Amino acid sequence: MTRLQALDPKEATGRSKELFEAIQGKLGMVPNMMRTMGNSSVVLEGYLNLSELLGKGSLGGKLGELLALTVAESNACNYCLSAHSFIGEKLVGIDTDTLSAARDGENADPKIAAALNFAKALIAKNGRVSTEDVAAVKDAGYTDGAVGEIVAHVALNIFTNYFNNTANTDIDFPVVEAATV
């Protein structure tokens, strides 16, 4: 049972209504996470803005989705696992084996694996990564800017994981459940 109510986009008012209309126009629907975030238009707008900006970054959509899965598995967020598995496969074109491996921070491409391992280190160490952790991801070919973007992706996904785990958001994608709790 959900703990925070998802707003009906047809009944929303003010800035949340404007944001819902933009989301509907872009996606053809307003996902439950965003409907729930809409209880505070600043929460929804903050999420949308950072997500949009990171989408324009140097990492690309594929790595963004793989990072989201690594983080979601670490935080046992079934909503985000479900959403990013669907988006990764259907919209970004990532095969299911690659999506599944990303949940454990694994990838056949050493550069992508380094980014996912760095994300796992950020989570495990609450952001207090070592010089060696940073050197490993930079040695894999990531610039200082790209390392910053990985940190931002992890932070954004921790936010959505915590939000959905708090709200117990109804999953409106094919359900994927975390292996860890």
Side-chain angles (χ1 to χ4, degrees):
M1 175 191 259
T2 61
R3 294 186 284 250
L4 300 178
Q5 185 66 37
L7 297 178
D8 182 340
K10 295 175 188 153
E11 296 176 11
T13 60
R15 185 67 180 139
S16 288
K17 179 180 179 71
E18 294 170 12
L19 294 168
F20 286 165
E21 288 171 352
I23 295 163
Q24 179 73 36
K26 201 179 246 189
L27 302 179
M29 67 176 284
V30 181
N32 285 337
M33 179 188 80
M34 294 176 202
R35 291 177 52 212
T36 306
M37 286 180 171
N39 285 295
S40 170
S41 62
V42 298
V43 170
L44 178 57
E45 192 163 10
Y47 161 74
L48 291 171
N49 286 341
L50 184 53
S51 182
E52 180 181 352
L53 289 170
L54 288 174
K56 297 174 183 176
S58 66
L59 300 182
K62 178 181 178 182
L63 182 52
E65 292 305 317
L66 298 176
L67 286 164
L69 289 167
T70 299
V71 176
E73 184 67 37
S74 294
N75 290 312
C77 181
N78 293 336
Y79 187 93
C80 292
L81 283 169
S82 301
H84 291 287
S85 293
F86 179 84
I87 293 165
E89 181 182 0
K90 304 296 185 193
L91 302 180
V92 182
I94 304 170
D95 66 271
T96 56
D97 289 341
T98 300
L99 293 170
S100 181
R103 293 172 60 180
D104 294 322
E106 298 172 0
N107 193 279
D109 180 324
K111 184 173 181 180
I112 294 172
L116 301 181
N117 285 325
F118 184 65
K120 287 178 67 172
L122 283 165
I123 295 162
K125 298 176 180 182
N126 297 314
R128 292 182 182 91
V129 292
S130 67
T131 300
E132 293 78 17
D133 293 325
V134 175
V137 75
K138 288 175 73 174
D139 288 347
Y142 292 97
T143 64
D144 288 358
V147 173
E149 288 181 30
I150 293 169
V151 173
H153 274 276
V154 170
L156 176 64
N157 284 287
I158 288 172
F159 165 60
T160 60
N161 294 173
Y162 285 15
F163 183 87
N164 288 304
N165 285 341
T166 297
N168 200 28
T169 308
D170 281 334
I171 299 172
D172 45 358
F173 297 93
V175 175
V176 176
E177 293 186 354
T180 59
V181 178

